[in-house]
Amino acid sequence: MGKIMHIHHVKKLAFRSASALAALPLLFSASAFSATPEPVDVTVTFVEAITITEVNALDFGLLDSTMANTETVAIDTADGTTDGGANIVGGTQEAAEVTITATAGVAVTLLVNNVTDGTHYTLASFVCNYNGAGESGCDGGGQANTSVASATVLIGATLTRNAVAMTAGVDNGSFDINMTYD
């Protein structure tokens, strides 16, 4: 008989404990632990995909095969050249030209990267002119602009002769021009 009473007493205690726990939420108001709701806005701007189309390559023309190691030839975005060693011997010297379409009025960065040098030279010090806004550096960290719907971009660079033994002939390189929305 003592066992039955003991079990009955344990059941009563468990029931009373559960009842006390169930009553706890009544002691604490839900509003006491929550803040007033705050609406949060969502902003979205849909933009057109940026397209870049090459119009013409960066062209150094004909350079003298006796060009010495470390001598440079530079072409700016207005097709102007700097050639202290008189290494330009003919052909056409011309800045690269691309057209870029994008959504107008958005912050963008124009960047030259992924440069592939020729066998006998390196390319560096890239300059760009986006939509006639003036020439400035566009390698490294890139060039900040505000986009227009359709723009012409002119790209110049400095070619530096390296120490690889010269063999006359075609020695083409390349680079990527990228524009991204900021």
Side-chain angles (χ1 to χ4, degrees), residues 26-170:
L26 299 176
L27 297 175
F28 299 102
S29 166
S31 63
F33 291 114
S34 65
T36 304
E38 176 64 30
V40 177
D41 294 331
V42 175
T43 61
V44 177
T45 302
F46 290 101
V47 294
E48 298 291 330
I50 296 171
T51 60
I52 303 174
T53 306
E54 182 180 335
V55 176
N56 62 269
L58 176 59
D59 194 346
F60 285 89
L62 304 174
L63 301 181
D64 191 338
S65 66
T66 64
M67 184 175 182
N69 182 30
T70 72
E71 285 189 325
T72 62
V73 173
I75 298 177
D76 64 26
T77 59
D79 300 334
T81 60
T82 304
D83 178 15
N87 291 298
I88 298 173
V89 295
T92 301
Q93 290 71 45
E94 185 174 37
E97 181 179 342
V98 298
T99 56
I100 298 179
T101 59
T103 296
V106 180
V108 292
T109 299
L110 192 62
L111 175 66
V112 169
N113 63 3
N114 295 324
V115 178
T116 301
D117 298 321
T119 302
H120 302 103
Y121 65 89
T122 59
L123 293 169
S125 303
F126 285 87
V127 290
C128 294
N129 184 332
Y130 178 77
N131 198 43
E135 180 176 288
S136 64
C138 55
D139 51 0
Q143 181 189 82
N145 295 286
T146 299
S147 62
V148 296
S150 181
T152 296
V153 178
L154 302 170
I155 308 155
T158 300
L159 177 149
T160 303
R161 174 74 169 87
N162 64 25
V164 175
M166 177 60 73
T167 54
V170 175

